[in-house]
Amino acid sequence: MNRKLRFGMIGGGRGAFIGAVHRIAALMDGKAELVAGAFSSDAERSKASGADLFVDPARAYGSYQEMAVAEARRPAADRLDFVVIVTPNHQHFPPAKLFLEQGFNVVCDKPVTFNLAEAKRLRAIVKKTKKVFVLTHNYTGNVMVKQARLLVQSGALGHVRKVIVEYPQGWLSTHLEASGQKQAAWRTDPKRSGAAGCMGDIGTHAENLARYITGLRIDTLCADLSTFVKGRKLDDDGNILLRFKGGAKGILHSSQICVGDENNLNIRVYGEKAALEWHQEYPNELVLKFPDQPRQIWRRGNGYLDPKLAPFTRIPAGHPEGYLEAFANLYLEAFRAIAAEVSGQPIPADCDFPTIDDGVDGMLFIDTVVKSSKAGARWTKFPSA
Amino acid sequence: MNRKLRFGMIGGGRGAFIGAVHRIAALMDGKAELVAGAFSSDAERSKASGADLFVDPARAYGSYQEMAVAEARRPAADRLDFVVIVTPNHQHFPPAKLFLEQGFNVVCDKPVTFNLAEAKRLRAIVKKTKKVFVLTHNYTGNVMVKQARLLVQSGALGHVRKVIVEYPQGWLSTHLEASGQKQAAWRTDPKRSGAAGCMGDIGTHAENLARYITGLRIDTLCADLSTFVKGRKLDDDGNILLRFKGGAKGILHSSQICVGDENNLNIRVYGEKAALEWHQEYPNELVLKFPDQPRQIWRRGNGYLDPKLAPFTRIPAGHPEGYLEAFANLYLEAFRAIAAEVSGQPIPADCDFPTIDDGVDGMLFIDTVVKSSKAGARWTKFPSA
Amino acid sequence: MNRKLRFGMIGGGRGAFIGAVHRIAALMDGKAELVAGAFSSDAERSKASGADLFVDPARAYGSYQEMAVAEARRPAADRLDFVVIVTPNHQHFPPAKLFLEQGFNVVCDKPVTFNLAEAKRLRAIVKKTKKVFVLTHNYTGNVMVKQARLLVQSGALGHVRKVIVEYPQGWLSTHLEASGQKQAAWRTDPKRSGAAGCMGDIGTHAENLARYITGLRIDTLCADLSTFVKGRKLDDDGNILLRFKGGAKGILHSSQICVGDENNLNIRVYGEKAALEWHQEYPNELVLKFPDQPRQIWRRGNGYLDPKLAPFTRIPAGHPEGYLEAFANLYLEAFRAIAAEVSGQPIPADCDFPTIDDGVDGMLFIDTVVKSSKAGARWTKFPSA
Amino acid sequence: MNRKLRFGMIGGGRGAFIGAVHRIAALMDGKAELVAGAFSSDAERSKASGADLFVDPARAYGSYQEMAVAEARRPAADRLDFVVIVTPNHQHFPPAKLFLEQGFNVVCDKPVTFNLAEAKRLRAIVKKTKKVFVLTHNYTGNVMVKQARLLVQSGALGHVRKVIVEYPQGWLSTHLEASGQKQAAWRTDPKRSGAAGCMGDIGTHAENLARYITGLRIDTLCADLSTFVKGRKLDDDGNILLRFKGGAKGILHSSQICVGDENNLNIRVYGEKAALEWHQEYPNELVLKFPDQPRQIWRRGNGYLDPKLAPFTRIPAGHPEGYLEAFANLYLEAFRAIAAEVSGQPIPADCDFPTIDDGVDGMLFIDTVVKSSKAGARWTKFPSA
């Protein structure tokens, strides 16, 4: 590719959180440029946001539908290579469907859709259109997470017996949505968020991380969801027992009422021979534990890491990378796939980003967890995808 | 009391682990002396252990029964003030009953008995004999754990919503008992350990710690116990969902197959206003987290800690205390109670050590957990004591 | 500014380290675009690097001199707003002088020049041309460093008594330059690096950080520099005692032979009332210590931080930012100044980036340290700027 | 030895700090008993302290002179095996001399004497009397410190290049001695403490620790001592550059005005091949760093530690030991030596405790540091012992 990739955004206008994250992640490596957007469903606001971002006013649209029509008409020379969807959950499926069917590649925030049925429909559309579809479960972009996966795959841990994955946050420990805070408002609204609150928003990240590192699939689970904050309509906390196919056991818990916790995603995987531990808030380190040798701290940027991971580290060891760089790593892989697609090449088989299949898995997770909890926290079969 | 208290031991001979711990804890503060013992059921070995410990050969007995008879006959001037029972679980009740009924105070390792029925019988004996009975759930001897409890009691955390208590170890990740290793052998033997392995040995500590700090009682639980090591007869791992009376939720997990984990007991308590966190392997620190102010690290030995805790700290801040000092703190409280009892004074009401009631609670926990797990990890009511 | 700022680079072609860092930092926030460069003194290599970076081939020059001439001729509509100089130290002054005198704003890597005389000349040029000159002592871009400075300024620590600043690295613990490794080669070469090796490369960062946070200026110092690796021509380690104006004492040590240390810059400041501590490898945290209250961990992204710092944090608490985001924070401030300059507005007085004066201070530091060490580690007066 | 060793104390009465530490350390392992003491120079107070400690009133003396006379007369069957001296520094030499010459073994707190001359005289007395003399530089009793020394000795680090040893405390950051606080009062009084304050009290620990681990001796040093608190008569802070015989460089700094630091002794040793790091406040861990492999955390109680260290660990990995257990480890070795001496056996050559020679080294350190500082922080030769 002898040019930057061109993209547009759906959502992500003024006041949005995740839209800005996507922009930084997409722009950081100098491989893409933002040229269009329907940044808000309010046309004024969309224009203003476009101006903030130095987008040509003609390409700052009042709706994604309008954008799809206008952009599809543009000549190849400045046509969008992909769109990024960063709207609330209930607004993922409609634009994803539309842009895929109009021939655009799509990067979409998680969870993939409002419900499982949409996810399955979207899967069919992706398969049919053969476009690139990237789901931003961004934590798997961390180099040390990738190293963790390689260690499990290599057999360094032996057969995995136990997985503990945690994602506590504290920011919704009060009735914040009542204040009109935008991030809180839609995440706690069943009409925009879907069947789950905390479990949809961050529990799905935890499930995705565990599956990415271990390769294990849940067989059955027992989920005890809670709504601690009075007046809230969706779960703000959940504790889940897991039984994986193949015999491993596990725990997944996630919360948005864990006062004082910020974004404390972490995972421990115990095998027969060794164990590993990773903490999102200290992402440059990976702890390895053994029965009979000193504990090891593997640190990002060192020569002993798998050489395959070199493209995902930008700066030397000891110069901390963080959340944004991990997010940008998903984009680097997305760019590889999209560049191939727009050049008419086959999409490389080894691109390492979450796909529509991960999206369907995430919706199955939400569905199963909610079903288990509603049945009184009963053991519930995790359906096959 | 103008003399050291005199004690004898049941168990704790050569090769034992916890017996030596009790001795160090009891002797450290110069307030007690070891003068007798049935250190082993093998008379030779008991004599040899007694000699190691500078015990008068005449008071190193071949059995606790023999010891009880002989010691009960001694004149008041050198009579034992208490006995310490550090045998495997199935050998807790018989000597405890015997010595209590002979008029001795008793310090007993945990879990209190082999099964719930014994625990309830022992409770009746304790109540009837009015002797001091101390159960060594030693982790509650840690000053920072005591501070944690005071913080909860003071309302600093607000209403408690969630409790996560973990106790992973890794030392039984192989079939160690097959090697004849003594500590492994009895702990994995249902005839000596009781109905549970890992859950009895350390899960009970976790339950005790959570109850001590929060004051919360479990209402129902859902326990998924596992035996990962082939050939093992008892659980070596367990994941438990908890619902407490009053609405809090929780997780308790414990394991002896978590490779590379040593003695990683830790607890997190989340209230409406603040949260706390304590890690046994770094016991001099207590973390407090708030929604809107910097995280705090409270450290042992500082002037801002509750002055009531002064007797439980021996050295200034920054001079780390550890497991043995916490264990010795239980003994300090036991000594207060025993000194009163042997002086014919009422036992002070504020002595802070685990009692026979805690022992019964622990056996209820084991019973309920095993029952839940055997029923397919079903939600099971925690019975009242 | 209703458009992105346009910049060109001097240096930073294929194989460079710090050039890529500057690009990421400059591009991340979508406020600037790279449109020209003399990426290498080898014209072929410069072209190739330009192509990698999607720079118009006509603007990828074979030398910075050629670039200065050509770019100065371009019409205002696509004229460069600033250039970024990321060459080895001996190649800082010539292009800086040239571009400043041609009317361009300049961002320059540290240390500012090859020697003190050049630094002073450059200072005069900056003053005369009135262009923006930004020196990338990037660590002061960290939000928690800025918070540390505000705390000192507010008097929260009281009068400062002691400062300990450390910058150990280990990557030059062998004779790496003999292997031809590019980063090692120029840094250990007195003809390209200047009078100091380790002290120039990273000791200056340490000095700058201490001065930024505390506002203290060194009065005298006693520097013991070493060259541990045989065959090396410049210092690879140094230990320095400091006496600050106003009575505070301090230690600055820095090394590139501290095996296993990565980029372990950290600082501790002790005042009469409180102390603070910051570790570059864990940049999202700032530790505060008090004589009589719990230690505090201030964490990036929280509401209790100074609201003035909001522009320097991109993502919520618990989503770690790192080295690149801190670097980008310097660019954000540089952009504010440059946008004003190119718009003919006065440069805002509160722009928070290191200036040519900091550059001169850094060169004074190198000069004084080398002089002290050469005199047998004698106490040496720190000259006024 | 088929009995406990018998000891008496000089000092350590009510209100003392280090006396209680010695008692716990000496009693913890059940190998010694306290039977006599001159606990205070006030006879009443000494009696009262003796009673607190259950010492026979006849053996609680009003002065150490009285004690020496009376105890020397006792029959072999209950004669003291050793005395423990825990008085302020100026009261170390007189009782040490007296008891050694009366045929008693001696354990003495540090620094060994009030000044260098006394230390040398005491050395002569120890050599002449052939009694055991143990100096309680207790930090070398830590198992992980011993492991660190073994690693250096084994060559695992290669040739040592740099040593950084720190001992900051904060408890004297105000004029505490003016309040009459006993610990502060004598430590800041040149008549009782000696020529140095902070450097004598804790700087000597730091020097001893560095020498113990590395085996390196200081060749020259440059010490900048300060007295920050107004009205204080001795140093409360010091920064020292070190040059070791053999070419290594180093830094030693120590303070008692580092607000919020508790007892933060720590050391880093960098060799050509690897580095190690130990922190007294987290004593169960030893960090190893390498140029090209993951960082290692060695943890007390594990099978990979040197088997020679087994006697110095009481409880399994993960059950934290602390300051008191390390102190008790010195006593264990002292007991080995003393038991041999009183049995008329040769003192084992491998006993691992600090001796009178370490005491002389400590006094040389104080002397040299004070001399250097008074000369304006000039480089000063460290004399041979």
Side-chain angles (χ1 to χ4, degrees):
Chain A
M1 205 80 188
N2 64 352
R3 59 169 179 86
K4 294 192 182 185
L5 293 169
R6 293 180 291 264
F7 71 99
M9 295 192 87
I10 320 300
R14 289 179 174 180
F17 152 55
I18 204 69
V21 165
H22 277 260
R23 277 193 297 273
I24 295 172
L27 296 178
M28 176 185 292
D29 293 302
K31 294 183 184 300
E33 56 186 332
L34 173 66
V35 296
F39 300 105
S40 169
S41 49
D42 172 305
E44 279 304 294
R45 195 180 184 88
S46 182
K47 288 276 176 219
S49 298
D52 292 347
L53 302 166
F54 310 126
V55 166
D56 177 352
R59 295 176 85 173
Y61 302 95
S63 75
Y64 70 85
Q65 295 91 338
E66 182 193 336
M67 172 174 161
V69 172
E71 290 292 328
R73 281 196 206 122
R74 296 190 78 90
D78 74 352
R79 203 173 190 257
L80 294 178
D81 297 306
F82 65 101
V83 296
V84 175
I85 300 173
V86 289
T87 41
N89 305 346
H90 71 304
Q91 287 294 333
H92 286 183
F93 177 76
K97 176 178 189 299
L98 179 58
F99 280 89
L100 284 167
E101 290 180 346
Q102 292 284 354
F104 295 99
N105 299 298
V106 170
V107 175
C108 182
D109 210 76
K110 44 50 52 186
V112 70
T113 50
F114 184 70
N115 60 30
L116 177 59
E118 282 185 356
K120 289 182 172 175
R121 284 178 62 200
L122 189 59
R123 181 173 56 186
I125 294 164
V126 171
K127 307 284 176 202
K128 188 171 154 212
T129 61
K130 296 200 170 65
K131 293 291 158 188
V132 175
F133 182 89
V134 177
L135 184 70
T136 50
H137 274 305
N138 52 292
Y139 297 107
T140 62
N142 278 282
V143 183
M144 300 316 287
V145 166
K146 293 181 189 293
Q147 180 66 59
R149 180 162 79 153
L150 291 174
L151 283 165
V152 172
Q153 287 175 348
S154 75
L157 274 65
H159 188 73
V160 169
R161 286 169 165 172
K162 185 162 190 172
V163 180
I164 302 170
V165 61
E166 311 185 320
Y167 201 157
Q169 295 180 333
W171 68 292
L172 288 176
S173 63
T174 60
H175 201 194
L176 186 60
E177 59 269 43
S179 75
Q181 205 262 18
K182 192 174 162 175
Q183 300 303 325
W186 75 257
R187 279 180 175 80
T188 57
D189 175 3
K191 292 189 188 137
R192 288 179 281 174
S193 186
C198 169
M199 276 298 148
D201 191 32
I202 59 173
T204 50
H205 272 310
E207 187 276 332
N208 184 260
L209 181 68
R211 184 155 41 82
Y212 180 81
I213 290 178
T214 66
L216 294 176
R217 298 191 67 85
I218 299 168
D219 185 39
T220 59
L221 60 75
C222 171
D224 190 19
L225 306 190
S226 305
T227 304
F228 280 108
V229 173
K230 220 172 158 169
R232 183 160 291 157
K233 292 179 187 151
L234 291 170
D235 57 287
D236 50 24
D237 180 88
N239 302 327
I240 308 177
L241 300 183
L242 303 172
R243 293 175 178 177
F244 294 97
K245 290 184 199 297
K249 299 280 183 87
I251 294 171
L252 183 157
H253 62 90
S254 181
S255 185
Q256 292 173 325
I257 58 89
C258 282
V259 166
D261 275 349
E262 296 173 354
N263 198 44
N264 191 9
L265 173 64
N266 64 78
I267 186 166
R268 288 170 276 177
V269 179
Y270 296 96
E272 289 185 357
K273 289 160 47 183
L276 62 78
E277 186 168 334
W278 181 78
H279 295 259
Q280 189 275 149
E281 294 187 354
Y282 304 90
N284 295 277
E285 298 178 342
L286 178 67
V287 180
L288 261 80
K289 295 185 277 193
F290 304 91
D292 49 11
Q293 44 176 304
R295 209 163 276 192
Q296 293 179 1
I297 315 290
W298 294 43
R299 290 166 62 96
R300 194 196 50 74
N302 281 286
Y304 51 76
L305 299 182
D306 196 294
K308 277 197 292 294
L309 302 178
F312 303 114
T313 194
R314 288 162 186 78
I315 38 176
H319 299 69
E321 295 193 5
Y323 176 90
L324 292 166
E325 289 76 24
F327 215 114
N329 285 340
L330 287 198
Y331 270 100
L332 284 182
E333 288 295 90
F335 295 160
R336 276 216 293 147
I338 293 166
E341 198 279 337
V342 300
S343 313
Q345 311 286 324
I347 295 167
D350 65 346
C351 283
D352 184 13
F353 55 71
T355 65
I356 181 63
D357 292 326
D358 293 285
V360 171
D361 278 331
M363 297 314 293
L364 285 169
F365 175 74
I366 293 173
D367 232 49
T368 312
V369 160
V370 169
K371 197 166 138 196
S372 165
S373 189
K374 287 205 169 142
R378 288 261 286 277
W379 285 93
T380 305
K381 189 81 184 169
F382 196 93
S384 54
Chain B
M1 205 79 189
N2 64 349
R3 60 167 179 86
K4 294 191 181 185
L5 293 169
R6 294 180 291 264
F7 71 100
M9 296 193 86
I10 320 300
R14 290 178 172 180
F17 151 55
I18 202 70
V21 165
H22 278 260
R23 275 193 298 274
I24 294 171
L27 295 179
M28 177 184 288
D29 292 302
K31 294 182 184 302
E33 55 186 333
L34 173 65
V35 297
F39 299 104
S40 169
S41 50
D42 172 306
E44 280 303 295
R45 195 181 182 88
S46 182
K47 289 274 174 218
S49 297
D52 292 350
L53 302 167
F54 310 125
V55 166
D56 176 354
R59 296 176 84 173
Y61 303 95
S63 75
Y64 69 86
Q65 294 92 339
E66 184 193 333
M67 174 174 160
V69 171
E71 291 290 329
R73 278 194 209 126
R74 295 189 78 91
D78 74 351
R79 206 172 186 256
L80 293 178
D81 297 307
F82 66 99
V83 296
V84 175
I85 299 173
V86 289
T87 42
N89 305 347
H90 70 304
Q91 287 295 334
H92 286 182
F93 177 75
K97 175 178 190 300
L98 180 56
F99 279 89
L100 285 167
E101 292 180 344
Q102 291 285 354
F104 295 99
N105 298 297
V106 170
V107 175
C108 183
D109 212 76
K110 42 50 54 187
V112 68
T113 51
F114 184 70
N115 60 32
L116 177 59
E118 281 184 358
K120 288 182 171 174
R121 284 179 61 201
L122 190 58
R123 180 173 56 185
I125 294 164
V126 171
K127 307 282 177 204
K128 188 172 155 213
T129 61
K130 298 199 168 65
K131 293 291 157 187
V132 176
F133 183 88
V134 177
L135 184 70
T136 52
H137 274 305
N138 51 291
Y139 296 108
T140 60
N142 278 282
V143 182
M144 301 315 289
V145 166
K146 294 181 190 293
Q147 180 67 58
R149 180 164 76 154
L150 292 174
L151 284 164
V152 173
Q153 287 175 349
S154 75
L157 274 66
H159 188 72
V160 170
R161 285 168 165 173
K162 185 164 190 173
V163 179
I164 303 170
V165 60
E166 313 185 319
Y167 200 158
Q169 295 181 333
W171 67 292
L172 289 176
S173 65
T174 62
H175 201 193
L176 186 60
E177 58 269 43
S179 76
Q181 205 261 17
K182 192 175 161 175
Q183 300 304 325
W186 76 256
R187 278 181 175 79
T188 58
D189 175 2
K191 291 187 188 140
R192 288 180 281 175
S193 186
C198 169
M199 275 300 148
D201 192 31
I202 59 175
T204 49
H205 272 311
E207 186 276 331
N208 184 259
L209 181 67
R211 184 155 42 81
Y212 181 81
I213 290 177
T214 65
L216 294 176
R217 299 191 66 85
I218 300 169
D219 184 38
T220 59
L221 59 75
C222 172
D224 191 18
L225 306 190
S226 304
T227 303
F228 280 108
V229 173
K230 222 174 156 169
R232 182 160 292 158
K233 293 176 187 150
L234 291 171
D235 57 289
D236 50 23
D237 181 88
N239 302 328
I240 308 178
L241 299 183
L242 303 172
R243 293 176 178 177
F244 293 97
K245 289 183 200 298
K249 299 279 185 92
I251 295 172
L252 183 156
H253 62 88
S254 179
S255 185
Q256 293 174 324
I257 58 91
C258 281
V259 166
D261 275 349
E262 296 175 352
N263 197 45
N264 192 9
L265 173 64
N266 64 77
I267 187 164
R268 287 170 276 176
V269 179
Y270 296 95
E272 290 185 359
K273 289 161 44 184
L276 63 80
E277 186 169 335
W278 181 79
H279 295 259
Q280 188 274 149
E281 294 187 353
Y282 304 90
N284 295 276
E285 298 178 344
L286 178 67
V287 180
L288 261 81
K289 296 186 276 194
F290 303 90
D292 48 11
Q293 45 175 305
R295 209 164 275 192
Q296 294 179 0
I297 315 289
W298 294 42
R299 291 166 61 97
R300 193 196 51 75
N302 281 288
Y304 50 77
L305 299 181
D306 195 295
K308 278 197 293 293
L309 302 178
F312 304 114
T313 195
R314 288 162 185 77
I315 40 178
H319 299 71
E321 294 193 8
Y323 176 90
L324 292 167
E325 288 76 25
F327 215 114
N329 285 341
L330 287 198
Y331 270 100
L332 285 181
E333 288 296 89
F335 294 161
R336 275 216 294 150
I338 293 167
E341 196 279 338
V342 299
S343 314
Q345 311 286 325
I347 296 167
D350 64 346
C351 284
D352 184 12
F353 54 72
T355 66
I356 183 64
D357 292 326
D358 294 285
V360 171
D361 278 333
M363 298 313 295
L364 286 169
F365 176 73
I366 293 175
D367 231 50
T368 313
V369 160
V370 169
K371 197 167 140 195
S372 165
S373 189
K374 287 206 170 142
R378 288 260 286 276
W379 285 94
T380 304
K381 188 81 183 171
F382 197 92
S384 55
Chain C
M1 205 79 188
N2 65 349
R3 59 168 178 88
K4 293 191 183 189
L5 293 169
R6 294 180 291 265
F7 70 100
M9 295 191 89
I10 320 300
R14 289 179 175 179
F17 151 57
I18 203 70
V21 166
H22 278 261
R23 277 193 295 274
I24 295 172
L27 296 178
M28 177 185 288
D29 292 303
K31 295 183 184 302
E33 56 186 331
L34 173 66
V35 297
F39 300 104
S40 169
S41 50
D42 173 307
E44 280 303 295
R45 195 182 183 87
S46 183
K47 289 272 175 221
S49 298
D52 292 349
L53 301 167
F54 310 126
V55 166
D56 176 353
R59 297 177 84 173
Y61 303 95
S63 74
Y64 70 85
Q65 294 91 338
E66 183 191 334
M67 174 173 159
V69 172
E71 291 291 329
R73 279 196 209 124
R74 297 190 77 95
D78 73 355
R79 204 171 187 259
L80 292 179
D81 298 305
F82 66 101
V83 296
V84 175
I85 300 174
V86 290
T87 43
N89 305 347
H90 70 304
Q91 288 293 334
H92 287 182
F93 177 75
K97 177 179 190 299
L98 181 56
F99 280 91
L100 284 167
E101 291 180 344
Q102 292 282 356
F104 295 100
N105 299 297
V106 170
V107 175
C108 182
D109 210 76
K110 40 51 56 188
V112 69
T113 51
F114 183 69
N115 59 32
L116 177 59
E118 282 185 358
K120 289 181 172 176
R121 287 179 59 201
L122 190 59
R123 182 174 54 185
I125 295 164
V126 171
K127 307 283 176 203
K128 188 172 154 211
T129 61
K130 297 199 170 69
K131 292 292 158 188
V132 176
F133 182 87
V134 177
L135 183 70
T136 51
H137 274 305
N138 52 291
Y139 297 108
T140 61
N142 278 282
V143 183
M144 300 316 287
V145 167
K146 293 180 189 295
Q147 180 66 57
R149 180 162 79 153
L150 292 175
L151 283 165
V152 173
Q153 288 175 348
S154 75
L157 274 65
H159 188 71
V160 170
R161 288 170 164 173
K162 186 164 190 172
V163 179
I164 303 169
V165 61
E166 313 184 319
Y167 200 158
Q169 294 181 333
W171 68 292
L172 289 176
S173 64
T174 61
H175 201 193
L176 186 61
E177 58 270 43
S179 76
Q181 205 262 18
K182 191 176 164 175
Q183 300 303 324
W186 76 257
R187 280 181 176 78
T188 58
D189 175 3
K191 293 189 188 137
R192 288 180 280 175
S193 187
C198 169
M199 275 300 147
D201 192 30
I202 60 175
T204 49
H205 273 310
E207 188 275 333
N208 183 261
L209 181 67
R211 186 156 39 82
Y212 181 81
I213 290 177
T214 66
L216 294 176
R217 297 191 68 84
I218 300 169
D219 184 39
T220 59
L221 59 76
C222 172
D224 190 18
L225 306 190
S226 305
T227 305
F228 281 108
V229 173
K230 226 176 154 165
R232 183 159 293 158
K233 292 176 189 152
L234 291 171
D235 58 287
D236 50 22
D237 180 87
N239 302 327
I240 308 177
L241 299 183
L242 304 172
R243 292 176 179 178
F244 294 96
K245 290 184 201 297
K249 298 281 184 87
I251 294 171
L252 183 157
H253 61 90
S254 179
S255 186
Q256 292 175 325
I257 57 89
C258 282
V259 166
D261 275 350
E262 297 174 351
N263 197 45
N264 191 10
L265 172 64
N266 63 77
I267 187 165
R268 287 169 276 176
V269 179
Y270 296 95
E272 289 186 358
K273 289 160 45 182
L276 62 79
E277 186 170 334
W278 180 77
H279 295 259
Q280 188 272 150
E281 295 187 353
Y282 305 89
N284 296 278
E285 297 177 344
L286 178 68
V287 180
L288 262 81
K289 294 187 277 193
F290 304 91
D292 50 9
Q293 45 175 304
R295 209 163 274 193
Q296 293 180 0
I297 315 289
W298 294 43
R299 292 166 61 98
R300 194 196 50 75
N302 281 288
Y304 51 77
L305 299 181
D306 196 293
K308 278 196 292 294
L309 302 177
F312 303 114
T313 194
R314 289 161 184 79
I315 39 179
H319 299 70
E321 295 193 6
Y323 176 91
L324 293 166
E325 288 75 25
F327 216 115
N329 285 341
L330 288 199
Y331 270 101
L332 285 181
E333 287 296 89
F335 295 160
R336 275 215 296 147
I338 293 167
E341 197 280 338
V342 300
S343 314
Q345 309 286 325
I347 296 167
D350 65 345
C351 284
D352 184 11
F353 54 73
T355 66
I356 181 62
D357 293 326
D358 293 285
V360 172
D361 278 332
M363 297 313 293
L364 286 169
F365 175 73
I366 293 174
D367 233 46
T368 312
V369 160
V370 169
K371 198 166 139 198
S372 165
S373 188
K374 287 206 170 142
R378 287 260 286 277
W379 285 93
T380 305
K381 188 81 185 170
F382 197 93
S384 55
Chain D
M1 206 77 189
N2 65 348
R3 60 170 178 84
K4 293 191 181 184
L5 292 169
R6 293 181 291 265
F7 71 100
M9 296 193 86
I10 321 300
R14 289 179 174 178
F17 151 56
I18 203 69
V21 165
H22 278 260
R23 275 194 296 275
I24 294 171
L27 295 179
M28 177 185 286
D29 293 302
K31 294 181 186 302
E33 55 186 332
L34 172 67
V35 297
F39 300 104
S40 169
S41 49
D42 173 305
E44 280 304 294
R45 196 181 181 87
S46 183
K47 288 275 175 219
S49 297
D52 291 351
L53 302 167
F54 310 126
V55 166
D56 177 352
R59 297 177 84 173
Y61 302 95
S63 75
Y64 70 85
Q65 295 91 337
E66 184 192 336
M67 173 174 160
V69 172
E71 290 291 327
R73 277 193 208 125
R74 296 189 77 92
D78 74 352
R79 205 172 186 257
L80 293 178
D81 297 307
F82 66 100
V83 296
V84 175
I85 299 174
V86 289
T87 42
N89 304 348
H90 70 305
Q91 287 293 334
H92 286 183
F93 177 76
K97 176 177 188 299
L98 181 58
F99 280 90
L100 285 167
E101 291 181 344
Q102 292 284 355
F104 295 100
N105 298 298
V106 169
V107 174
C108 183
D109 211 77
K110 42 50 58 186
V112 69
T113 51
F114 184 69
N115 60 31
L116 177 59
E118 281 184 358
K120 288 182 173 175
R121 284 178 62 199
L122 190 59
R123 181 174 55 184
I125 294 164
V126 171
K127 307 285 176 202
K128 187 170 153 213
T129 61
K130 297 198 168 68
K131 293 292 157 186
V132 176
F133 182 89
V134 177
L135 183 71
T136 51
H137 273 307
N138 52 291
Y139 297 109
T140 62
N142 278 283
V143 183
M144 301 315 287
V145 167
K146 293 179 188 295
Q147 180 66 59
R149 179 162 80 152
L150 292 173
L151 283 164
V152 173
Q153 288 176 348
S154 75
L157 274 64
H159 188 73
V160 170
R161 286 168 164 173
K162 187 164 190 171
V163 179
I164 302 169
V165 61
E166 313 183 318
Y167 200 158
Q169 296 180 333
W171 68 291
L172 289 176
S173 65
T174 61
H175 201 195
L176 186 60
E177 58 270 43
S179 76
Q181 204 261 18
K182 192 175 164 177
Q183 301 303 324
W186 76 257
R187 279 181 175 79
T188 58
D189 175 2
K191 293 190 189 137
R192 288 179 280 175
S193 186
C198 170
M199 276 298 148
D201 192 31
I202 60 174
T204 49
H205 272 311
E207 186 277 333
N208 183 259
L209 182 68
R211 184 156 41 81
Y212 180 82
I213 290 177
T214 65
L216 294 175
R217 297 191 68 82
I218 299 168
D219 185 36
T220 59
L221 59 76
C222 173
D224 191 18
L225 306 190
S226 306
T227 303
F228 281 108
V229 173
K230 220 174 159 170
R232 183 161 292 158
K233 293 176 188 152
L234 291 171
D235 58 286
D236 51 21
D237 181 87
N239 302 327
I240 308 177
L241 299 183
L242 304 172
R243 293 177 178 177
F244 294 97
K245 290 184 199 298
K249 298 278 185 89
I251 294 170
L252 183 157
H253 61 89
S254 180
S255 186
Q256 291 174 324
I257 57 89
C258 281
V259 166
D261 275 348
E262 296 174 353
N263 197 45
N264 192 8
L265 172 65
N266 64 76
I267 187 166
R268 288 169 276 175
V269 179
Y270 296 95
E272 290 186 356
K273 289 159 46 181
L276 62 79
E277 186 169 335
W278 181 78
H279 295 259
Q280 188 273 149
E281 294 187 353
Y282 304 89
N284 296 278
E285 297 179 343
L286 179 67
V287 179
L288 262 81
K289 295 187 276 194
F290 305 90
D292 49 10
Q293 44 177 305
R295 207 162 277 192
Q296 294 179 1
I297 315 289
W298 295 42
R299 291 166 60 97
R300 193 195 52 74
N302 281 288
Y304 50 77
L305 300 181
D306 195 294
K308 277 196 293 296
L309 302 177
F312 303 113
T313 194
R314 288 162 185 77
I315 39 176
H319 300 69
E321 294 193 6
Y323 176 91
L324 293 167
E325 289 74 26
F327 216 114
N329 285 340
L330 287 199
Y331 270 101
L332 285 181
E333 287 296 88
F335 294 160
R336 275 215 296 148
I338 292 167
E341 198 279 338
V342 300
S343 313
Q345 311 283 326
I347 295 167
D350 65 345
C351 283
D352 184 11
F353 55 72
T355 66
I356 181 63
D357 292 327
D358 293 286
V360 172
D361 277 334
M363 297 313 295
L364 286 169
F365 175 74
I366 292 173
D367 232 48
T368 312
V369 159
V370 170
K371 198 167 138 196
S372 166
S373 189
K374 287 203 170 146
R378 288 260 286 278
W379 285 94
T380 304
K381 188 82 183 172
F382 197 92
S384 55

